[in-house]
Amino acid sequence: LERIVCMSILAVGLGGLLGSCGRYLITRLLERFEFAFPLSTLLSNVIAALLIGFIIGFERQMPSLSATKKLFLTTGMLGGLSTFSTFSLETVAYLETGKYLHALGNIGLNVGLSLLFVFIGFYLAKLLPAA
């Protein structure tokens, strides 16, 4: 593989390692509390949404991030932090146990808040002074 592809793969892999470890830490910190709702998944997804909105919003204003750094942060770190598969599994578990309102709430909160927090991230990036 060419050097740029290798650097991109390395950036995504290292970022994914950090993001996945961050998600694991969030889960471990919140498991001390007994929530009837998968709050750690929601929190991981919302934090990732806020940060990706901020990073992309910042990059749109001041395109100073290299492609490798952007891959590290977005595809790697935030891809590892957010978790669509766990969200899906938790939603299916609700459906299988007949907890349809829980399933709908999980879908609504994860999708709705994630979208909202991407927009908030964009907005926060716009508040930064232009360089």
Side-chain angles (χ1 to χ4, degrees):
L1 294 171
E2 63 184 76
R3 185 181 189 290
I4 293 172
V5 172
C6 289
M7 290 303 295
S8 296
I9 291 170
L10 184 61
V12 169
L14 290 174
L17 171 71
L18 292 176
S20 295
C21 289
R23 178 165 40 101
Y24 176 74
L25 288 173
I26 289 170
T27 301
R28 292 297 307 234
L29 289 171
L30 291 179
E31 74 184 6
R32 296 177 185 176
F33 310 99
E34 293 189 25
F35 295 106
F37 186 80
L39 189 60
S40 62
T41 302
L42 178 63
L43 189 60
S44 295
N45 288 339
V46 169
I47 290 169
L50 175 69
L51 293 174
I52 202 164
F54 182 82
I55 291 165
I56 299 304
F58 175 80
E59 205 266 333
R60 285 179 178 173
Q61 284 184 228
M62 298 173 266
S64 57
L65 281 178
S66 70
T68 304
K69 287 177 186 170
K70 189 174 171 183
L71 279 172
F72 170 82
L73 292 169
T74 59
T75 305
M77 197 170 78
L78 299 178
L81 177 61
S82 63
T83 173
F84 190 80
S85 57
T86 302
F87 150 71
S88 299
L89 179 65
E90 291 163 347
T91 302
V92 167
Y94 280 140
L95 293 170
E96 287 181 333
T97 57
K99 296 179 179 176
Y100 303 113
L101 289 178
H102 285 82
L104 286 174
N106 198 35
I107 293 166
L109 285 170
N110 272 277
V111 174
L113 288 177
S114 292
L115 289 171
L116 174 65
F117 274 79
V118 168
F119 282 115
I120 290 171
F122 284 158
Y123 176 77
L124 292 173
K126 287 182 181 184
L127 295 177
L128 293 176

